[in-house]
Amino acid sequence: MSVETIVPDATGECDKEVRRLDRVVIRFAGDSGDGMQLTGDRFTSETASFGNDLSTLPNFPAEIRAPAGTLPGVSSFQLHFADHDILTPGDAPNVLVAMNPAALKANIGDLPRGAEIIVNTDEFTRRAMAKVGYDASPLEDGSLDGYHVHPVPLTTLTVEALREFDLTRKEAERSKNMFALGLLSWMYHRPTEGTEAFLRSKFVKKPDIAAANIAAFRAGWNFGETTEDFAVSYEVAPAAAAFPPGTYRNISGNLALSYGLIAASRQADLPLFLGSYPITPASDILHELSRHKNFGVRTFQAEDEIAGIGAALGAAFGGSLAVTTTSGPGVALKSETIGLAVSLELPLLIVDIQRGGPSTGLPTKTEQADLLQAMYGRNGEAPVPVVAPRTPADCFDAALEAARIALAYRTPVFLLSDGYLANGSEPWRIPELEELPDLAVQFAQGPNHTTAEGTQVFWPYKRDPHTLARPWAIPGTPGLEHRIGGIEKQDGTGNISYDPANHDFMVRTRQAKVDGIDVPRLQVDDPDGAARLLVLGWGSTYGPITAAVRRLRRAGQQVAQAHLRHLNPFPPNLGEILTRYERVVVPEMNLGQLALLLRARYLVDVRSHHQVNGMPFKAEQLADALREILDEN
């Protein structure tokens, strides 16, 4: 719970009561055209600049443009910020800003009693309420009596504030999200300079529109300052103790991943090539990388998923750090070319931003159900390393790690993020250049084998004795001509081979190469070493699991926690860790895919705790489930 104390303002006088909180969860909700994502993003940016720790959860409608005022068209943005280290966007909002009846109805079930609700009363017309099934106004029928409701005519106030501008009413109404942002910025003492600078920059070619949005933003601030309905504002102090020294910025998972790919290409001194086809929620990576040609980045938007990965694999053959981005349905289409990359033994990063499935499924919701597809979704024995980031900021480091493996071992690598990480954001410490790994590669320069006759020749499948990687020869290098293709190659020479013994050897060698990848030992968080229960996770479950474990420990329970980044191969000490604990629970957003792999590999009893509702785990619900397991005899 938030801790509240009354504090005076800077003058020592309190015109309005100011309460200090340790954390707050706010959700902005409205039509997809109401600018809720922009509003949430701006509030987040100002909160990050203020120094709070934060975590966000944007929630988009699946329809490209659902009918206005309907439940399928509701878009929301949830932000959890605090004066201490936090890990999740919060289980339930303390504050809901509802721009219309649909937004209220879609989100009211998530609010605890006593939460604050700010509603745009202008949109609560009889027709708008009937559209979402309200027979009577929830603002008048007593159904909201358990909440602190602030009825605000946001649309009317915005239009009134912009009377002096040469705008139509419809154009003026579009700024109501800025009015709401100004009101919430006053309510939580957020800085305003950054938002005003952002608006001037965003509408630099339309200065009248910029001025109107700034005026609406200031009007919202002034409304909070002067109206009697808001008698209290809140302060959440910066979380200085939660952050190591450094320069920080707010970053989303897809943006961090994009920066990680650029950093990897610079550390490897290779051009970065992205061959991709737009698909939710991976498209932002294509958009971002297309902006960075100055770093040697080349992006290719292909006509389909197969062409995208085909171009990327061609770029890998040509000596680039090659990447293809997609989501689950796209991985299915790319599977044949991934198998070709396994056979060619070329470095290629396959970035899968997982979403709800199967088929088109829930394109704007999150899931972790592509793990088995990444592990086995190809014909034949085609092993591929798998790496998974655990937080939005960690996507940067995971991209560097995936690139390290791909370049050192000459193999395609899966990077499994998901929609929760991709769209969520948190503070990120910008690393110093010397902190980044050295990913330099050596291309083949000349012959590497001496025949029985004493002739120097180039063998494209002669392997490094430590990594089992084959040489990477740039096309056109004199003397390094060699055959490529999907048909099985002879060991060493690379010639086409149908020899059964050679095929057996090549299959086992490719598997041994992946099995032998150097990955760090798994670290277990078990403070006193007395825990009997281990909670093991992977990917984006890190935040909810850690938050749940913290709650249990504060209640006196002994619980150990570990989190996997490398899913193929597993860390070398994972088997020993699993046998150390009486119970092992694996929470994941699928029907138990990692648990299945662990049971098969280590022959241990692993309990799966799963959900597939398109949303991340809530920390309290997960803590309750773990508490029940701890209470078992």
Side-chain angles (χ1 to χ4, degrees), residues 190-534:
R190 299 296 92 185
T192 60
E193 296 82 4
T195 293
E196 294 192 9
F198 167 82
L199 292 170
R200 292 188 188 96
S201 174
K202 181 177 177 64
F203 298 107
V204 65
K205 296 182 179 179
K206 298 179 179 179
D208 291 344
I209 298 298
N213 276 282
I214 291 171
F217 176 68
R218 291 175 176 174
W221 177 283
N222 292 333
F223 177 78
E225 182 73 23
T226 58
T227 183
E228 294 183 0
D229 189 40
F230 290 90
V232 178
S233 65
Y234 304 91
E235 286 186 351
V236 181
F243 300 117
T247 301
Y248 286 81
R249 59 156 295 167
N250 183 52
I251 201 165
S252 69
N254 273 352
L255 184 57
L257 202 154
S258 300
Y259 288 172
L261 294 173
I262 295 171
S265 75
R266 294 298 83 211
Q267 293 301 104
D269 196 22
L270 298 175
L272 177 63
F273 181 90
L274 173 66
S276 184
Y277 179 75
I279 182 172
T280 302
S283 300
D284 287 341
I285 302 171
L286 172 61
H287 300 159
E288 182 60 34
L289 289 180
S290 68
R291 301 187 177 105
H292 297 287
K293 296 181 179 64
N294 55 313
F295 287 114
V297 179
R298 295 295 178 266
T299 53
F300 171 58
Q301 181 173 320
E303 66 268 25
D304 56 44
E305 296 280 6
I306 299 172
I309 190 173
L313 185 55
F317 179 58
S320 292
L321 176 59
V323 184
T324 189
T325 53
T326 189
S327 189
V331 174
L333 291 167
K334 295 177 188 290
S335 62
E336 183 178 5
T337 309
I338 297 172
L340 176 59
V342 171
S343 177
L344 296 180
E345 300 190 47
L346 286 170
L348 174 66
L349 302 186
I350 306 111
V351 178
D352 177 7
I353 312 297
Q354 300 166 95
R355 72 189 203 188
S359 187
T360 309
L362 304 174
T364 60
K365 311 303 179 186
T366 194
E367 204 166 272
Q368 288 182 299
D370 294 350
L371 177 57
L372 292 182
Q373 180 177 220
M375 291 284 287
Y376 301 118
R378 295 163 294 283
N379 66 295
E381 295 288 347
V384 176
V386 181
V387 175
R390 63 186 187 178
T391 68
D394 188 50
C395 289
F396 178 87
D397 296 310
L400 285 164
E401 175 64 2
R404 176 191 73 84
I405 293 172
L407 295 171
Y409 295 88
R410 309 285 196 270
T411 177
V413 177
F414 261 102
L415 180 57
L416 287 184
S417 179
D418 60 44
Y420 173 33
L421 295 184
N423 297 317
S425 62
E426 65 177 352
W428 172 58
R429 188 181 70 84
I430 301 172
E432 299 296 334
L433 187 60
E434 58 269 18
E435 296 174 2
L436 301 179
D438 180 6
L439 302 180
V441 297
Q442 291 293 327
F443 292 113
Q445 300 297 322
N448 61 358
H449 181 75
T450 304
T451 66
E453 295 78 20
T455 304
Q456 296 290 310
V457 297
F458 175 64
W459 273 17
Y461 280 84
K462 185 171 184 177
R463 301 180 182 278
D464 181 284
H466 302 291
T467 65
L468 299 182
R470 76 176 187 88
W472 194 359
I474 300 298
T477 306
L480 303 189
E481 296 84 0
H482 61 284
R483 186 186 300 272
I484 65 170
I487 298 178
E488 185 63 277
K489 305 297 185 297
Q490 184 182 47
D491 177 45
T493 69
N495 296 327
I496 290 176
S497 173
Y498 292 97
D499 178 61
N502 176 78
H503 176 61
D504 182 273
F505 177 81
M506 293 294 279
V507 167
R508 294 178 186 276
T509 300
R510 288 188 289 261
Q511 183 66 59
K513 179 171 68 171
V514 173
D515 291 342
I517 290 172
D518 180 25
V519 301
R521 292 171 63 84
L522 183 62
Q523 300 299 312
V524 180
D525 178 17
D526 188 356
D528 55 13
R532 296 181 300 155
L533 172 66
L534 171 68

Side-chain angles (χ1 to χ4, degrees), residues 14 18 46 86 186 206 270 345 481 503 550 632:
C14 281
V18 181
E46 297 299 350
I86 57 173
W186 169 84
K206 298 179 179 179
L270 298 175
E345 300 190 47
E481 296 84 0
H503 176 61
R550 286 180 180 179
E632 293 176 0

Side-chain angles (χ1 to χ4, degrees), residues 1-3 20-25 80-84 86 90-92 94 188 235-236 551:
M1 295 293 292
S2 299
V3 179
R20 180 161 292 162
L21 310 178
D22 63 348
R23 64 181 183 87
V24 176
V25 181
H80 182 194
F81 62 102
D83 65 2
H84 57 277
I86 57 173
D91 289 354
N94 307 114
Y188 288 95
E235 286 186 351
V236 181
R551 295 184 187 200

